[in-house]
Amino acid sequence: MKHKTMALALSGALVMGGASIAQAQDTGTIPVRVKLGGLYPTNSNTRNATGSVHLGGEVDVALPKLFGGKYFLSASYLQGSDGGNKLRTIPITLGRYFQPPNPAKSLTGNVYAGAGLGVYLLRGQVGATTDSKTTIGGYGSVGYQFPNPYFVEAKYHLTGKVNGLRAGGLSLMVGRHF
């Protein structure tokens, strides 16, 4: 039920915010990227306890150019559950992205890479025991921006653990920028 509520909220944000944000580069409106996908935990104990895929979404908001770079403030919601065990991960990060020059990117698309740091809000339930923790974490990412507003992105998260469950791993997402 919580996944349906989250998906409905993200869909509503897309519909309501799309019209005013669509012309971000022309009007000075803040660009936003919305992604859906999943986290694949690397720790085998976490996969066995909470499932091999933790579904979720992410929203990136572009910040004004700082120090000549492209920065995004990101918030994600990822959750996996299996047999009554759950792991919820909410990363709130600041990342910098790099894109090589490509004069034909409007025709061919372009690759990009990034890295970021932030806080990871973790909540793990194993059996009847539930625990929450806030920890520092980071990520490295690579992606491909298609010539249209869609992109794909792989991000590797490094972070702590809660209640014996390690939240790090590879997330694969598809997204759209506005």
Side-chain angles (χ1 to χ4, degrees):
M1 187 65 165
K2 290 182 182 179
H3 291 294
K4 290 179 184 176
T5 304
M6 182 184 64
L8 183 61
L10 285 172
S11 299
L14 282 172
V15 171
M16 293 172 58
S20 64
I21 298 171
Q23 298 178 5
Q25 292 147 346
D26 299 332
T27 64
T29 306
I30 297 173
V32 173
R33 300 180 341 149
V34 177
K35 306 174 225 176
L36 295 173
L39 172 74
Y40 300 84
T42 53
N43 182 275
S44 61
N45 292 335
T46 301
R47 282 193 312 272
N48 292 338
T50 62
S52 58
V53 180
H54 296 191
L55 298 176
E58 183 170 18
V59 176
D60 298 335
V61 177
L63 299 176
K65 285 195 174 197
L66 303 169
F67 310 110
K70 187 174 194 176
Y71 292 86
F72 282 99
L73 181 62
S74 302
S76 305
Y77 182 94
L78 302 156
Q79 182 170 306
S81 62
D82 189 23
N85 301 322
K86 278 189 215 178
L87 177 60
R88 180 183 66 205
T89 307
I90 302 175
I92 302 170
T93 58
L94 176 64
R96 180 164 184 194
Y97 288 83
F98 307 91
Q99 195 170 39
N102 179 0
K105 71 181 174 187
S106 63
L107 298 173
T108 64
N110 208 8
V111 298
Y112 63 89
L117 293 171
V119 295
Y120 283 67
L121 309 171
L122 309 175
R123 183 172 179 88
Q125 177 181 345
V126 178
T129 307
T130 301
D131 194 13
S132 297
K133 183 177 182 181
T134 300
T135 184
I136 300 296
Y139 69 85
S141 66
V142 295
Y144 183 78
Q145 174 67 54
F146 294 101
N148 55 36
Y150 299 98
F151 61 94
V152 293
E153 184 175 273
K155 188 182 278 190
Y156 193 85
H157 297 271
L158 293 170
T159 188
K161 63 182 178 177
V162 62
N163 208 10
L165 303 170
R166 186 163 297 279
L170 178 67
S171 69
L172 300 174
M173 302 250 175
V174 295
R176 183 182 197 287
H177 69 83
F178 295 91

